[in-house]
Amino acid sequence: MNDPAIQDSYERKTCRLCGSKRLDSVMELTPTPPGNHFRTRAQLSEVQKCYPLELRLCLDCGHIQLSDVVNPQILYQEDYSYVSGTSPVFVEHLREYAESSIRRFGLLPGDLVIDIGSNDGTALGFFQENGCRVVGVDPAENIAQLASANGIETIPRFFGTKIAEEIRERFGAAKLVTSHNACAHIDDLDEVINGAHHLLADDGHFVFEVGYFVDVFQNVWFDTVYHEHLDYHTVKPLIPFFAKFDMSVLAVERIKPQGGSIRVTTGKVSGLTEQDDSVGDLVSMEEALGVGDRETLNSFQTHVNGVRDDLVALVRKLRSEGQSIVGYGAPTKATTLLTHFQLGDGILDFIVDDNPLKQNLFSPGHHIPVRGADEIYTSSPDFVLILAWNFAGAIMEKHDLYRQQGGRFIIPMPSPHIVI
């Protein structure tokens, strides 16, 4: 972003869902630079700006959101490095999602499917294989170009009503509009949902997946708090939010990706589809847990700091005994974890990651070198701290040879422990 007149961040003082100004601070983490801004060696001397990580609760509707909004041009249009296709677990999830959606909604060859935040087109590729027409929308220009080159037409822009109008005029109404982990990243959600409503056929559905704050709360997955994640969704506030657009929340399914997410199915009120029991069941569970109460959320901060103290004590003890430790995985969440847990100062020798776009770079803020996963066999560290904890099972299974050779894994949350 080269225009100095464009603000790089601002403080959001209204609820993104209901517009209320009654926001209360419930959690504050250590400020970090954008979690996907890896550095080349030539960039190491440049100062990376850090932005606040503070969660605020809407006292009217119960929605939880980040206080400070970083300009999306900074987050997504400067050599964005996340691609869906590098995670075999997530690729399989997207395959199953496409197949189940085709059955569930009776999609036929030629039906139009739109993906908001389509990334490298992995999800749309599975719909395309089954004869659907597909169009992706994603603001990360380098990733959008990659998807288009691979046969998934992708519009490299931020989704909104204007884009929706252009797509509908060119391709017609969509039977399915979908989004995977993008609706927590968008500041103007009104614009997105209005655009989705405009795109949908009367009997179409908008289905989106987002991280579920209940899973964050119950498993102490605080590191999912980072600048791309503006919202920390629960089901209850979504019901009146969609009603503003003459849409209904029809069903909500808890799913495993990203540590714990929800798949929310919505449709136009004119579609006359009934809401199933899953919606009310989850609202009741949220109320019982108190995830919309400030006292409950204030105690969450205390719990997080307790986990931090335990992990720091463990890794510093190992280092004092001469043990070597490396990290596995350089997801965005790792920047939050390493910073708030104070693990960036000589704790990790390096980080390995399966994404080639991140290899041979240096982590945001701490400038820890990132290498390919084979490095754990070349260097034979004593311990591997799994930073991509949501894929811990798959990582340990894939690298069981490392464990057979005497290496040990450390899983940081919900309570730090060594897997021997």
Side-chain angles (χ1 to χ4, degrees), residues 312-327:
V312 169
L314 171 62
V315 297
R316 290 194 180 280
K317 178 177 181 294
L318 293 174
R319 291 294 288 188
S320 70
E321 294 171 350
Q323 306 287 333
S324 55
I325 308 173
V326 305

Side-chain angles (χ1 to χ4, degrees), residues 306-323 325 341 343 347 383-385 408-413 415-419:
V307 174
R308 175 194 63 194
D309 295 343
D310 290 344
L311 181 61
V312 169
L314 171 62
V315 297
R316 290 194 180 280
K317 178 177 181 294
L318 293 174
R319 291 294 288 188
S320 70
E321 294 171 350
Q323 306 287 333
I325 308 173
F341 277 15
L343 297 177
I347 298 296
F383 291 89
V384 169
L385 174 63
R408 286 161 288 181
F409 292 102
I410 303 172
I411 298 180
M413 293 175 293
S415 59
H417 61 282
I418 297 172
V419 180

Side-chain angles (χ1 to χ4, degrees), residues 72-129:
Q73 292 184 39
I74 294 175
L75 296 179
Y76 301 110
Q77 293 184 313
E78 296 185 359
D79 294 324
Y80 192 63
S81 58
Y82 173 79
V83 286
S84 304
T86 59
S87 167
V89 174
F90 197 57
V91 169
E92 185 58 28
H93 166 73
L94 294 176
R95 180 193 301 277
E96 292 173 356
Y97 170 79
E99 292 173 353
S100 67
S101 295
I102 290 168
R103 293 192 302 269
R104 181 182 176 197
F105 302 122
L107 298 181
L108 300 173
D111 282 345
L112 179 63
V113 178
I114 307 294
D115 193 7
I116 300 171
S118 53
N119 199 257
D120 63 359
T122 297
L124 288 177
F126 295 125
F127 286 100
Q128 189 180 65
E129 288 175 5

Side-chain angles (χ1 to χ4, degrees), residues 29 126 135 138 173 233 254 296 312 391 399 409:
L29 302 175
F126 295 125
V135 178
D138 197 289
H233 286 292
R254 295 184 73 173
T296 303
V312 169
F391 298 125
H399 295 287
F409 292 102

Side-chain angles (χ1 to χ4, degrees), residues 1-313:
M1 192 175 70
N2 298 317
D3 185 351
I6 298 177
Q7 195 173 14
D8 63 351
S9 68
Y10 82 99
E11 180 184 359
R12 174 104 191 193
K13 296 184 178 181
T14 59
C15 174
R16 192 167 285 107
L17 298 193
C18 76
S20 171
K21 295 180 180 179
R22 299 179 65 233
L23 303 177
D24 191 31
S25 178
V26 291
M27 185 175 185
E28 191 168 354
L29 302 175
T30 308
T32 73
N36 250 316
H37 281 200
F38 291 79
R39 304 285 88 182
T40 65
R41 186 174 296 278
Q43 294 172 316
L44 292 182
S45 61
E46 299 175 4
V47 176
Q48 287 187 276
K49 184 172 181 178
C50 293
Y51 301 91
L53 286 175
E54 177 188 346
L55 292 187
R56 292 179 181 172
L57 170 70
C58 176
L59 300 180
D60 287 328
C61 77
H63 180 58
I64 302 165
Q65 65 186 41
L66 209 61
S67 63
D68 286 67
V69 179
V70 178
N71 191 307
Q73 292 184 39
I74 294 175
L75 296 179
Y76 301 110
Q77 293 184 313
E78 296 185 359
D79 294 324
Y80 192 63
S81 58
Y82 173 79
V83 286
S84 304
T86 59
S87 167
V89 174
F90 197 57
V91 169
E92 185 58 28
H93 166 73
L94 294 176
R95 180 193 301 277
E96 292 173 356
Y97 170 79
E99 292 173 353
S100 67
S101 295
I102 290 168
R103 293 192 302 269
R104 181 182 176 197
F105 302 122
L107 298 181
L108 300 173
D111 282 345
L112 179 63
V113 178
I114 307 294
D115 193 7
I116 300 171
S118 53
N119 199 257
D120 63 359
T122 297
L124 288 177
F126 295 125
F127 286 100
Q128 189 180 65
E129 288 175 5
N130 285 274
C132 294
R133 294 179 297 134
V134 300
V135 178
V137 183
D138 197 289
E141 293 183 7
N142 59 321
I143 304 299
Q145 290 170 2
L146 173 66
S148 293
N150 290 331
I152 306 297
E153 181 168 352
T154 303
I155 301 170
R157 290 162 65 184
F158 291 102
F159 181 81
T161 304
K162 188 174 188 304
I163 292 292
E165 291 171 348
E166 293 174 7
I167 292 174
R168 180 153 184 160
E169 182 177 350
R170 182 179 170 195
F171 296 97
K175 283 286 189 175
L176 176 64
V177 177
T178 188
S179 177
H180 302 273
N181 307 305
C183 285
H185 298 196
I186 299 166
D187 189 28
D188 191 352
L189 275 180
D190 282 21
E191 178 74 5
V192 170
I193 306 308
N194 189 59
H197 183 277
H198 183 83
L199 262 178
L200 283 176
D202 287 342
D203 61 346
H205 293 87
F206 173 45
V207 182
F208 64 97
E209 296 180 351
V210 287
Y212 192 28
F213 186 75
V214 168
D215 289 298
V216 174
F217 176 77
Q218 291 181 319
N219 296 287
V220 204
W221 290 333
F222 78 97
D223 55 346
T224 59
V225 178
Y226 50 81
H227 300 108
E228 292 170 1
H229 280 176
L230 297 174
D231 297 291
Y232 300 83
H233 286 292
T234 52
V235 176
K236 186 176 180 179
L238 289 172
I239 298 171
F241 174 65
F242 274 91
K244 294 193 304 183
F245 304 92
D246 294 323
M247 296 180 71
S248 297
V249 176
L250 303 173
V252 184
E253 178 186 356
R254 295 184 73 173
I255 54 177
K256 293 182 178 180
Q258 307 304 314
S261 303
I262 45 175
R263 178 181 295 159
V264 183
T265 300
T266 70
K268 293 183 176 181
V269 171
S270 59
L272 301 178
T273 304
E274 294 184 3
Q275 183 183 92
D276 71 22
D277 293 340
S278 62
V279 180
D281 290 346
L282 287 180
V283 169
S284 296
M285 183 263 291
E286 292 167 4
E287 291 175 340
L289 286 173
V291 291
D293 302 333
R294 56 181 155 187
E295 294 81 8
T296 303
L297 297 176
N298 286 147
S299 69
F300 183 53
Q301 170 99 58
T302 303
H303 191 178
V304 167
N305 289 343
V307 174
R308 175 194 63 194
D309 295 343
D310 290 344
L311 181 61
V312 169

